[in-house]
Amino acid sequence: MNNNLERAQAYIDCYNKNHPNSGCCCYGPTGPTGPTGPASATITISTTTTSDPGSAANVINTGTSSNAILEFTIPRGATGPTGATGPTGATGPTGPAGATGATGATGATGPTGATGPAGATGATGATGATGPTGATGPAGATGATGPTGATGPAGATGPTGVTGPTGATGATGATGPTGPAGATGATGPTGPAGATGATGPTGAVTTPIFAIGTVTTGAPGSSATASITGTSPNFFLNLTIPQGVTGPAGTAGVAGPTGPTGATGATGPAGATGATGATGPTGPAGATGATGPTGPTGPAGATGATGPTGPTGATGPTGPTGP
């Protein structure tokens, strides 16, 4: 049976030679050949342990040469290097122009102009004979127009435009490459000589044939596993080895600088000019001019024809008797 283990070791050594980064099994040389044991042999996988990256892989047989119980120790892949820092995010776009300021309030109406002074009262003319009507005196001067209302104050300046939005965050840096497989562990010390197996009954000798079956890459951080498949005398050693842990994602790119503040909104137009104050009332009419002198007496008119005698009036009552 020990010759069978040597054959299995030869297959494993051949596989390791052709796959130097697989981190497969290594253990000490096989002890001296014991006497021929029973014809049938068994191989059982006991445990499969995942060790630290860079440590040595190992296989220990805790059974016998004819009934092997294998314990595998397989190192996990080394952690990949940290990914490069992502590029700085692009500068955010310029913020939109601020909205136009609101129109200023209408200026207050100017005060009403002062009333013009009243014209002085003319002196009363002396009464004289009625003559022709004198010419009408000139009208009093019109009161001065009230002053124009003051111009309303300028509208308040429109509010400052809103700040432009913050630039978009830079894209996440690419994931770092997978770290290289751990180095092949050093060859383990020479194992103790196998115990001499009990002499089995003479029978037909069947030589087991060992071959590497499948080698599968497991998820990062998972446990390594090993299994044997097949039926006597053809056995296959199947391995699952975790890949190195992926390096952490690159640092997020620095946020782009804040876009410049939008331009200040245009100053609102000046308030409308206050309405013109109302015209002061017209001053009172000047006093009537003095009566002109009496014109000369016109010639006597021709004596008119004597009118008809009027009817005799009724006799009035008798007056009281005198004293």
Side-chain angles (χ1 to χ4, degrees), residues 92-219:
T94 303
T100 302
T103 302
T106 302
T109 302
T112 303
T115 303
T121 302
T124 303
T127 302
T130 304
T133 302
T136 302
T142 303
T145 302
T148 303
T151 302
T157 301
T160 302
V162 295
T163 302
T166 301
T169 301
T172 302
T175 302
T178 302
T184 303
T187 303
T190 302
T196 302
T199 303
T202 302
V205 176
T206 301
T207 302
I209 299 175
F210 292 88
I212 298 298
T214 60
V215 178
T216 305
T217 301

Side-chain angles (χ1 to χ4, degrees), residues 260-302:
T261 303
T264 303
T267 303
T273 303
T276 303
T279 302
T282 302
T288 303
T291 303
T294 302
T297 301

